[in-house]
Amino acid sequence: MSEITIAARNAKGEVTVSRAPYFPRKKKTITGRSIAVLVFLALCALFFCIPLYVVVVTSFKTMDQIREGAMFSLPYVWTLEAWDHAWNSACSGINCNGLKVGFWSSVSILIPSLILSIGISMITGYALALWNVRWAGAFLFILFICAFVPFQIIMFPLISMTAALKVYGSIWGVALVHAVLAMPVLTLIFRNYYKDIPQEIMSAAVMDSGSFWRIFTEIILPMSGNILIVVLIMQITSIWNDYLIGVTFGGPGSQPMTVNLANLITISTGVTRYNDNMAAALLTAIPPLVIYFFVGKLFVQGITAGAIKG
Amino acid sequence: MSSRILPGLAAGLLLGATSFGAMAADLVVYHSWSAAPEVAALNVLKAGIEAKGHTWTDIAIPHNTGSNVNLMSLVTGGQPPNVFMESNPGVYRDLAGMGFGFPLTQWYTDNHVTENLPAAVAASIAVDGEIVKVPTALHIDGMVYYNKDVAAAVGVDPASWTSLDAMFADFQKVRDAGYAPVAVGSQPFQVGYLMHALVAAIAGPDIYSSIYGGDVDPAVFDDPAFAKTLETLRLFSQEAGREAQNRPWNETTNQVITGKALMQVHGDWMKGEWLGAGKVAGKDFGCVEIPGAKSVVVTVDAWGLLGGVSDEMKAAELDFASVVVDPEIQAKFSAAKGSTPVRLDAPAASLDACSTEVLSILADPARQVQSPNNTVDSDWQSSIWDVVFNYWGDPSMSVEDVIAKLKDNYETILG
């Protein structure tokens, strides 16, 4: 295996074969340093895994066992009751149809929010990076400042605005607020990605009488795969995990899964059912995890593509 | 053929019925309850509303903050609920300021409700002298709940204690038998609640009102009865082991349910945990007020009605109120929730042992005070919690230190 050879033709057309320079890899030895690294990494993993372990085993226990108080013990009887209850019959207020109601509500919030937030920021970023927009610098600066405004301090004005637009209390209200709040950061991300596209491509496209939209759909969009994956994952995670925007702008009918979850686990004067709570928390956390598993590799590629360019 | 006609006919009849009943309305009900007993209790109300021809649209959002931001955002967004569960008087003042107040004093008088409410309930549903809330559930902030099996095994009878001294005197016996006498959770909230329950019990309603009432008088801190209260709190803190550190109240209750400890002193919402574990009041567990208590602290869960709506909607909201305070419905509601009816004339047969005990205490208007959450400045309350919790955790802190610190805080916050 170590006999790596390189074949090449010399000036006369003869094939010469030479050994490639070969640097043997150092054999891995266990040193003090590698042990320290391993121990550190193991501790880091434990730091996250121990609470996760407790959450998982608790979700499979019965309440009688939980009342005994030994939280690290394995369930005497493994039961899916809590999972079934959390998904199918947990109460959010007077409606006891489980988290599945909130799940579909979250999905129906997620899709328009994704399309709206990514669509708006992508086009804004494209315009700012590749077209001569008057006051582009000032505009970018304002967006940059907006990225630092906490949502809580503009919440009530936003409520009044969405109420005036007649979208308060609907999925569209939630989607609009997600789009507006995500716009500063996402626009900056897209703008920085697009500004590395060579000017020549743009010039050629303009010469070929491409319009703003045609260049976008036929040239820019196909080049945006990497960054789209990054932004998609960021947005799916933040929209799915969002509680405050959903609870504030969703109104009576369209509250996301996180609100159901909060209803389930926040007790005022009732009984705490830890197994149901843990199962519900896991059910709520699963969708973004699944997304990570499927596109996580692309995510890393996308991030590094953005980082190395320019 | 008939199978097609019948549903259509039924739908037509239903439509006719709803359009005939001009008073029928859709009530949007905002609350923060989702636990099983709470939902069962809400369903009792829902059945009552539907019997009056109205429908119930539910919004459940959990909240733990005093100002109830979610309610306010629904109001600001132009989609306010018709009835909402809220006890904080500040929210009612805000709503009245926005034109959504719904004064109810006249309605209460006309319907003879007020005279059947315990004094502390009547006081806590009024804001600035006007009744604006509809009381739905009642809790005592400091009750002694004890495990009857443990009591029998040790040979003590908590019901026979006539003073706290008698109670503490029995503790050694409990310890000798291998049980913890009292389960406590070392958490600011639990210690704060224990403190105000003890102030009401030991120092009495007058001193309580001077600390936790609307007008605070720092002179009462020098009263020997207040020092006595702090000394008693110290005795409780000595029962807190390492495992009590930051233990939530319901886990503390489970120490008693599982027979590791004899008793717990906490709000009687602990009954929910007992019932959840399948125990029966009076048989598996007993409940008494703090032995020798001069007064008890009453927490009231209440609904508010939205004002500034059409007359038709107002009538529907008042229908809701009349369902909530109906004695029969109160009894069913409390049985489902594990609370105590807010009416002294609730049918006695439907009450469990603990609710009977509570209502017999509350028959005496002189022996009850309102929960601080209803009256006191929230900064002042959290400063008391803070001082008392430090005292709880630090054995070297003396009663004099606590009093000095409280006076100091009074100067800063209210002085």
Side-chain angles (χ1 to χ4, degrees):
Chain A
M1 286 292 280
S2 62
E3 286 294 309
I4 297 170
T5 54
I6 292 178
R9 274 179 205 282
N10 62 12
K12 291 177 199 159
E14 293 162 335
V15 177
T16 61
V17 174
S18 61
R19 291 270 302 276
Y22 175 60
F23 305 101
R25 229 179 160 167
K26 243 194 213 167
K27 257 199 175 162
K28 274 187 184 166
T29 51
I30 297 171
T31 63
R33 193 164 148 247
S34 64
I35 290 174
V37 169
L38 271 178
V39 168
F40 176 73
L41 290 178
L43 281 176
C44 289
L46 279 181
F47 188 76
F48 288 99
C49 288
I50 290 177
L52 186 65
Y53 164 80
V54 173
V55 170
V56 172
V57 295
T58 306
S59 75
F60 289 107
K61 285 181 190 173
T62 60
M63 262 321 277
D64 287 335
Q65 191 189 347
I66 293 168
R67 280 200 188 87
E68 290 170 14
M71 72 178 184
F72 290 103
S73 66
L74 284 171
Y76 302 143
V77 189
W78 291 78
T79 167
L80 277 171
E81 234 169 75
W83 287 76
D84 178 50
H85 175 76
W87 183 252
N88 286 317
S89 55
C91 294
S92 182
I94 208 161
N95 305 311
C96 299
N97 299 316
L99 283 176
K100 61 176 191 283
V101 180
F103 177 84
W104 292 114
S105 166
S106 268
V107 170
S108 61
I109 286 174
L110 182 67
I111 292 166
S113 300
L114 276 181
I115 295 173
L116 211 57
S117 64
I118 296 183
I120 291 178
S121 326
M122 204 172 178
I123 291 159
T124 319
Y126 157 68
L128 286 174
L130 300 173
W131 291 84
N132 284 325
V133 181
R134 191 189 280 248
W135 306 114
F139 197 68
L140 263 180
F141 181 72
I142 292 170
L143 271 180
F144 184 68
I145 298 286
C146 289
F148 292 94
V149 177
F151 164 63
Q152 285 83 346
I153 64 168
I154 53 167
M155 190 170 102
F156 275 92
L158 277 176
I159 292 171
S160 301
M161 285 161 71
T162 47
L165 292 172
K166 307 266 186 249
V167 292
Y168 177 83
S170 70
I171 283 169
W172 289 105
V174 180
L176 185 69
V177 174
H178 271 300
V180 167
L181 292 177
M183 197 178 152
V185 171
L186 294 193
T187 304
L188 288 174
I189 291 178
F190 278 115
R191 187 256 174 196
N192 286 356
Y193 184 78
Y194 290 144
K195 88 173 167 29
D196 296 332
I197 291 175
Q199 191 55 47
E200 290 76 13
I201 293 183
M202 276 303 285
S203 305
V206 172
M207 296 258 285
D208 289 342
S209 79
S211 67
F212 181 88
W213 294 107
R214 218 173 140 203
I215 296 176
F216 179 71
T217 51
E218 291 181 10
I219 298 174
I220 303 301
L221 201 56
M223 293 171 74
S224 312
N226 281 339
I227 200 72
L228 262 179
I229 293 284
V230 174
V231 170
L232 210 59
I233 289 190
M234 275 174 60
Q235 281 301 92
I236 288 175
T237 315
S238 82
I239 294 170
W240 190 271
N241 291 342
D242 159 71
Y243 171 78
L244 193 55
I245 296 175
V247 80
T248 307
F249 295 90
S254 34
Q255 288 165 347
M257 194 174 187
T258 42
V259 176
N260 279 11
L261 176 68
N263 269 326
L264 185 62
I265 63 172
T266 313
I267 50 146
S268 37
T269 50
V271 188
T272 315
R273 300 188 55 86
Y274 291 102
N275 48 358
D276 296 349
N277 295 356
M278 300 302 177
L282 287 170
L283 280 169
T284 312
I286 283 171
L289 267 182
V290 170
I291 304 280
Y292 268 109
F293 279 128
F294 279 111
V295 291
K297 211 172 159 190
L298 297 171
F299 179 66
V300 175
Q301 280 175 9
I303 282 191
T304 46
I308 296 171
K309 278 201 163 193
Chain B
M1 190 83 182
S2 63
S3 65
R4 268 200 213 159
I5 291 176
L6 268 179
L9 203 64
L13 279 173
L14 273 174
L15 273 175
T18 31
S19 56
F20 271 31
M23 298 294 284
D26 181 36
L27 286 164
V28 178
V29 183
Y30 172 93
H31 60 87
S32 58
W33 284 1
S34 292
E38 296 171 337
V39 172
L42 288 176
N43 274 316
V44 171
L45 297 185
K46 187 176 175 218
I49 300 301
E50 284 169 352
K52 288 190 183 276
H54 305 300
T55 50
W56 172 304
T57 298
D58 196 66
I59 317 180
I61 299 175
H63 71 94
N64 283 321
T65 55
S67 53
N68 205 339
V69 178
N70 294 316
L71 174 61
M72 283 306 166
S73 50
L74 285 169
V75 173
T76 316
Q79 299 193 351
N82 298 109
V83 294
F84 45 91
M85 184 177 291
E86 181 56 62
S87 295
N88 184 334
V91 171
Y92 288 90
R93 291 193 188 104
D94 288 349
L95 283 175
M98 295 161 88
F100 293 115
F102 196 155
L104 296 170
T105 310
Q106 193 57 46
W107 183 84
Y108 271 78
T109 317
D110 294 348
N111 290 284
H112 306 287
V113 179
T114 328
E115 61 250 43
N116 289 309
L117 300 176
V121 175
S124 69
I125 57 173
V127 173
D128 304 329
E130 179 76 49
I131 295 181
V132 288
K133 304 183 210 171
V134 185
T136 195
L138 178 158
H139 289 286
I140 303 290
D141 282 6
M143 286 284 282
V144 176
Y145 270 52
Y146 60 95
N147 186 321
K148 283 204 146 180
D149 294 339
V150 175
V154 176
V156 296
D157 180 15
S160 71
W161 292 331
T162 52
S163 68
L164 280 164
D165 293 335
M167 180 182 96
F168 283 113
D170 270 351
F171 275 11
Q172 193 53 47
K173 217 162 133 188
V174 183
R175 264 183 229 113
D176 293 343
Y179 299 97
V182 55
V184 288
S186 297
Q187 257 186 343
F189 140 74
Q190 290 180 64
V191 173
Y193 266 63
L194 180 59
M195 178 65 188
H196 74 235
L198 286 176
V199 170
I202 300 169
D206 293 337
I207 291 179
Y208 179 92
S209 303
S210 302
I211 299 171
Y212 296 104
D215 297 311
V216 179
D217 177 10
V220 298
F221 292 134
D222 294 323
D223 195 292
F226 185 70
K228 169 85 178 143
T229 308
L230 286 169
E231 285 159 13
T232 312
L233 187 71
R234 172 63 78 216
L235 293 177
F236 277 101
S237 78
Q238 286 162 354
E239 301 295 335
R242 250 162 27 106
E243 73 288 350
Q245 205 52 252
N246 203 29
R247 182 168 62 196
W249 67 267
N250 56 316
E251 286 175 25
T252 310
T253 308
N254 278 319
Q255 295 291 304
V256 189
I257 295 177
T258 52
K260 293 185 180 108
L262 168 68
M263 56 172 260
Q264 181 186 9
V265 185
H266 191 59
D268 67 4
W269 43 87
M270 355 182 224
K271 188 155 76 183
E273 285 287 316
W274 283 94
L275 299 179
K279 308 289 184 187
V280 179
K283 185 169 144 280
D284 301 308
F285 64 100
C287 36
V288 290
E289 60 180 321
I290 293 174
K294 287 184 179 159
S295 59
V296 295
V297 183
V298 180
T299 288
V300 177
D301 290 329
W303 300 95
L305 308 181
L306 186 82
V309 291
S310 68
D311 284 347
E312 208 170 286
M313 189 50 91
K314 271 190 179 163
E317 290 178 9
L318 289 175
D319 279 347
F320 179 90
S322 63
V323 166
V324 172
V325 297
D326 180 90
E328 298 285 337
I329 294 178
Q330 265 293 317
K332 280 190 211 158
F333 178 94
S334 305
K337 168 136 183 3
S339 59
T340 299
V342 296
R343 289 183 70 129
L344 296 167
D345 59 346
S350 59
L351 303 178
D352 67 18
C354 293
S355 292
T356 309
E357 168 78 9
V358 168
L359 283 185
S360 75
I361 300 168
L362 294 181
D364 183 352
R367 287 191 55 220
Q368 47 192 294
V369 288
Q370 288 186 62
S371 153
N373 295 333
N374 242 344
T375 48
V376 93
D377 180 273
S378 58
D379 289 337
W380 173 236
Q381 190 180 1
S382 46
S383 84
I384 299 177
W385 283 18
D386 195 39
V387 175
V388 168
F389 193 59
N390 279 333
Y391 171 70
W392 176 274
D394 178 4
S396 68
M397 197 168 165
S398 70
V399 169
E400 289 73 31
D401 294 339
V402 175
I403 291 170
K405 190 80 191 109
L406 284 173
K407 284 183 177 170
D408 199 34
N409 286 351
Y410 172 82
E411 287 305 321
T412 316
I413 299 168
L414 301 171

